[in-house]
Amino acid sequence: MEPYDLVSTMANIASEMATRGRRGAFHGGHKRNSGKVGGTHLKQSRREPKVDENSPVIASFRTYQALLDRKNDKYERLVKISRDVTIESKRAIFHIHRINSGVDKTSVLREADEKLVTVRGKLRQIALELRGEDLYQYIRAISPGLQEYIEAVAFLHYCLGKGLVSLSQVQSDMEFPATKKPSTEEGGQPPQEAVTLYVPPVEYMLGLADFTGELMRLCITSVSSGDMDLPFQLCQFMREIYHGFTSFSHAGSWELSRKMHALRQSLHKVENACYTLQVRGLEIPKHMLADVFSSQDSDDTAERRNDMS
């Protein structure tokens, strides 16, 4: 290669490298500048927009926020009261089952009624919370406690020999009169106005469906305690309740259909108990027959206590 060609080639290479260096510096500086501008833009976009508190739209949303907060707080209070109603009603039901344990039946039922009077005090609190409100907006909060109370009342009503409690009788217990004005002594509670807690018919039916489970347990404990006549009475009574439930082709409640299945199972257990007493009662001695039913009773009681916990 000629010296002239070598010099010109080296000059071209140096010129090209210088051009690439200038392009790289230009693009690098552009990226850095663009990053800086972009960061400033992101910081500006993260700033909270200015809100005009005097705007009617903002004022409306503030009102909606206050209404929703009030409703949620009321819902939580109702859930807590309903939980207390459920616990106290279960205790009353367990107390009623003591009538087959050899204690005085009259005193047991009187003590159970006193427990239910305390429960009605909790139900009065629910009625005060729902005063002026739509019941069905809070029905899911109070439904468990209301059903458990109806179950306990129906069980007590039957054990007192009064048959099946009616919806009108349950509703009459939910009418709370006004309290009198307190005395001038310190510590007196302020007077409360008369309130009524409406009992939906579906809730009444759901409570009766649970009530049949307690009848099944009463049947088993009565046999284990030596009463061989009560199971046949309970079986006939539960059949009448079941036929009454089956007359509703569509009650509009999925929970009712689920409890209908539990009702059928309870009735089936009572019918099996009656079959064992009627057919095999002559073959099995009474003390061995009581042991068979007492084992079933212990299993049902353990299941019931697990549900309570």
Side-chain angles (χ1 to χ4, degrees):
M1 181 180 293
E2 295 293 335
Y4 176 77
D5 296 335
L6 180 60
V7 172
S8 61
T9 301
M10 295 296 293
N12 292 333
I13 293 174
S15 177
E16 184 176 356
M17 291 179 65
T19 303
R20 290 181 178 179
R22 288 193 299 271
R23 291 177 178 175
F26 174 78
H27 289 296
H30 178 69
K31 290 181 179 180
R32 287 193 294 270
N33 292 335
S34 61
K36 184 176 180 180
V37 174
T40 305
H41 178 68
L42 290 175
K43 291 181 180 180
Q44 292 178 352
S45 63
R46 290 175 182 172
R47 294 177 182 173
E48 294 183 359
K50 295 182 179 180
V51 178
D52 185 9
E53 296 293 341
N54 297 325
S55 173
V57 177
I58 298 300
S60 298
F61 275 95
R62 298 294 185 196
T63 304
Y64 301 151
Q65 179 185 5
L67 290 175
L68 290 176
D69 290 341
R70 184 180 62 83
K71 180 179 178 181
N72 292 333
D73 294 341
K74 185 184 292 290
Y75 191 92
E76 292 299 326
R77 290 195 300 269
L78 289 173
V79 168
K80 292 179 181 179
I81 300 174
S82 177
R83 189 180 297 116
D84 294 338
V85 171
T86 301
I87 294 174
E88 294 298 329
S89 298
K90 287 181 183 292
R91 289 174 180 172
I93 291 172
F94 278 118
H95 194 77
I96 295 173
H97 277 292
R98 294 181 57 202
I99 59 178
N100 287 326
S101 60
V103 297
D104 185 22
K105 180 179 178 180
T106 304
S107 62
V108 169
L109 297 180
R110 184 177 63 252
E111 292 173 359
D113 185 57
E114 293 175 357
K115 292 180 181 293
L116 291 180
V117 171
T118 304
V119 175
R120 281 192 283 272
K122 298 289 185 180
L123 293 171
R124 184 189 182 94
Q125 296 179 16
I126 294 178
L128 291 173
E129 289 285 350
L130 294 177
R131 183 179 47 189
E133 300 284 352
D134 184 5
L135 171 69
Y136 291 98
Q137 290 186 1
Y138 303 93
I139 191 64
R140 295 186 62 182
I142 66 174
S143 179
L146 196 59
Q147 293 177 24
E148 198 69 28
Y149 170 76
I150 295 173
E151 177 184 357
V153 169
F155 193 30
L156 177 62
H157 198 268
Y158 179 80
C159 291
L160 289 172
K162 299 180 181 180
L164 182 65
V165 65
S166 63
L167 177 59
S168 60
Q169 291 173 327
V170 175
Q171 185 62 63
S172 64
D173 291 338
M174 299 298 177
E175 297 175 357
F176 306 100
T179 58
K180 297 180 180 180
K181 293 184 178 181
S183 61
T184 56
E185 299 178 359
E186 295 182 358
Q189 296 180 354
Q192 295 178 344
E193 62 181 9
V195 289
T196 300
L197 178 60
Y198 174 69
V199 180
V202 175
E203 300 299 322
Y204 167 74
M205 295 177 65
L206 292 173
L208 289 185
D210 293 334
F211 159 62
T212 57
E214 303 305 329
L215 292 180
M216 181 268 296
R217 295 178 181 88
L218 181 63
C219 171
I220 302 302
T221 55
S222 64
V223 175
S224 61
S225 63
D227 189 354
M228 303 301 174
D229 297 328
L230 184 60
F232 296 96
Q233 300 175 9
L234 292 173
C235 182
Q236 182 61 31
F237 183 65
M238 290 180 63
R239 283 175 177 173
E240 294 176 358
I241 295 177
Y242 179 72
H243 290 319
F245 271 85
T246 54
S247 63
F248 293 92
S249 59
H250 177 69
S253 175
W254 66 269
E255 191 176 4
L256 184 59
S257 61
R258 179 177 62 85
K259 291 193 175 184
M260 278 285 295
H261 178 68
L263 195 159
R264 282 194 298 269
Q265 289 182 335
S266 299
L267 178 59
H268 184 64
K269 290 181 180 180
V270 173
E271 289 176 342
N272 285 339
C274 293
Y275 165 78
T276 304
L277 290 174
Q278 187 70 27
V279 178
R280 303 187 60 189
L282 299 177
E283 302 173 358
I284 304 176
K286 288 187 177 181
H287 68 278
M288 295 181 61
L289 193 64
D291 293 336
V292 172
F293 285 101
S294 62
S295 62
Q296 296 180 6
D297 175 48
S298 61
D299 294 339
D300 293 333
T301 304
E303 181 182 357
R304 180 67 172 175
R305 292 187 182 276
N306 292 331
D307 295 339
M308 182 177 178
S309 59

